[in-house]
Amino acid sequence: MSAECSSYLNADKVLVSGFSCPRAGGDARAVFCCGFQDVKYCCDDPHSFFPYEHSYMWWLSVGALVGLSIAAVVLFAFIITVCVLCYLFISTKPRSKLDTGLSLQMAGETGC
């Protein structure tokens, strides 16, 4: 089983001629043509997207987890602050309305 990688222009706009997979002197299991329009390579997994080692993905995952953790802590602190401020606003509110000094009377009645 083999695959053909067609020619392509790399990132430096240099034409790279097409080749067959597996390549001579390469891994015999790499029978699929993988990659993008500007970089193609032989691989053993047809769903592979990156020709690099996957160790950098681990660092991206750790960075994403740290970033999401910080964002979660900030959001949690914001929610707690809003809850405390709402509680203080409600608990310090006067229980009854202030007396304005005016008494309401029904129309047509006269007060003595």
Side-chain angles (χ1 to χ4, degrees):
M1 177 178 201
S2 66
E4 293 289 325
C5 285
S6 60
S7 60
Y8 62 94
L9 290 175
N10 66 10
D12 298 327
K13 305 295 184 206
V14 175
L15 180 66
V16 177
S17 59
F19 53 90
S20 296
C21 295
R23 285 185 144 179
D27 188 2
R29 296 174 298 160
V31 294
F32 299 102
C33 182
C34 299
F36 301 100
Q37 290 180 343
D38 61 346
V39 60
K40 293 182 181 180
Y41 58 96
C42 296
C43 64
D44 60 351
D45 181 9
H47 303 292
S48 176
F49 294 107
F50 299 102
Y52 314 109
E53 292 296 325
H54 296 292
S55 62
Y56 75 97
M57 291 297 287
W58 188 81
W59 286 108
L60 288 177
S61 297
V62 170
L65 286 175
V66 169
L68 288 174
S69 299
I70 291 171
V73 168
V74 169
L75 180 64
F76 184 69
F78 175 76
I79 291 171
I80 295 297
T81 302
V82 167
C83 290
V84 167
L85 289 176
C86 286
Y87 173 75
L88 289 175
F89 176 75
I90 291 170
S91 67
T92 59
K93 191 173 163 182
R95 299 283 180 222
S96 62
K97 292 185 177 182
L98 295 174
D99 185 17
T100 60
L102 302 174
S103 59
L104 298 176
Q105 297 178 354
M106 299 258 318
E109 289 185 17
T110 58
C112 297

